[in-house]
Amino acid sequence: MIRNYIEQANFEDTGFCYTMSLIAGKHKMVILYCLMEFKVVRFNELKRYLKNVSDKTLSSNLKELEANRLIIRKEYPQIPPKVEYSLSDRGKSLMKVLDQLCVWGENNRE
């Protein structure tokens, strides 16, 4: 019976798979955590926080997070352009999960 269930199960239809599709990647969880800690952050501040990330990679990750409604991008009409990023309500609801990952890491770090 269990074998039959496993063979017919579709991992891609799980909530876990959906959540991972939103935050998978080298920098997305760090970006979200940074926004949780500092509330409103500009592009160059994120770049300094992440250290070894290219402009293209950071920009791509931010666009994906915005498309998935996890962050809010606010652009100010001025010269030079000013853009700020913050967590959306949907992104804030994910922070309990990310915080627990940090707690687990601290408790299990060797």
Side-chain angles (χ1 to χ4, degrees), residues 32-41 49 87 95 99:
L32 292 169
Y33 198 80
C34 179
L35 293 174
M36 180 184 76
E37 288 289 317
F38 302 110
K39 309 296 182 217
V40 177
V41 182
Y49 188 77
L87 288 174
M95 291 304 101
D99 196 46

Side-chain angles (χ1 to χ4, degrees), residues 89-100:
D89 288 340
R90 187 174 192 215
K92 289 175 186 173
S93 71
L94 185 59
M95 291 304 101
K96 288 181 183 178
V97 175
L98 291 184
D99 196 46
Q100 285 302 306

Side-chain angles (χ1 to χ4, degrees), residues 5-45:
Y5 175 76
I6 291 172
E7 288 174 357
Q8 294 178 3
N10 185 359
F11 176 70
E12 293 176 1
D13 287 339
T14 65
F16 177 81
C17 186
Y18 175 71
T19 303
M20 291 306 295
S21 75
L22 298 179
I23 62 174
K26 186 175 179 180
H27 303 289
K28 286 183 183 176
M29 286 194 284
V30 179
I31 292 168
L32 292 169
Y33 198 80
C34 179
L35 293 174
M36 180 184 76
E37 288 289 317
F38 302 110
K39 309 296 182 217
V40 177
V41 182
R42 294 180 68 184
F43 185 89
N44 284 331
E45 293 171 326

Side-chain angles (χ1 to χ4, degrees), residues 20-109:
M20 291 306 295
S21 75
L22 298 179
I23 62 174
K26 186 175 179 180
H27 303 289
K28 286 183 183 176
M29 286 194 284
V30 179
I31 292 168
L32 292 169
Y33 198 80
C34 179
L35 293 174
M36 180 184 76
E37 288 289 317
F38 302 110
K39 309 296 182 217
V40 177
V41 182
R42 294 180 68 184
F43 185 89
N44 284 331
E45 293 171 326
L46 279 168
K47 190 167 176 171
R48 281 192 295 274
Y49 188 77
L50 293 168
K51 294 185 176 69
N52 298 328
V53 65
S54 70
D55 287 352
K56 181 180 178 182
T57 300
L58 179 55
S59 180
S60 174
N61 278 274
L62 289 168
K63 285 177 183 175
E64 289 175 19
L65 289 167
E66 183 183 14
N68 290 322
R69 303 182 332 271
L70 295 176
I71 66 171
I72 298 168
R73 180 183 189 269
K74 185 172 183 181
E75 187 173 342
Y76 296 90
Q78 65 184 48
I79 296 177
K82 179 181 175 183
V83 177
E84 294 177 336
Y85 297 92
S86 60
L87 288 174
S88 66
D89 288 340
R90 187 174 192 215
K92 289 175 186 173
S93 71
L94 185 59
M95 291 304 101
K96 288 181 183 178
V97 175
L98 291 184
D99 196 46
Q100 285 302 306
L101 286 173
C102 292
V103 169
W104 186 92
E106 288 296 324
N107 290 338
N108 290 280
R109 184 189 306 194

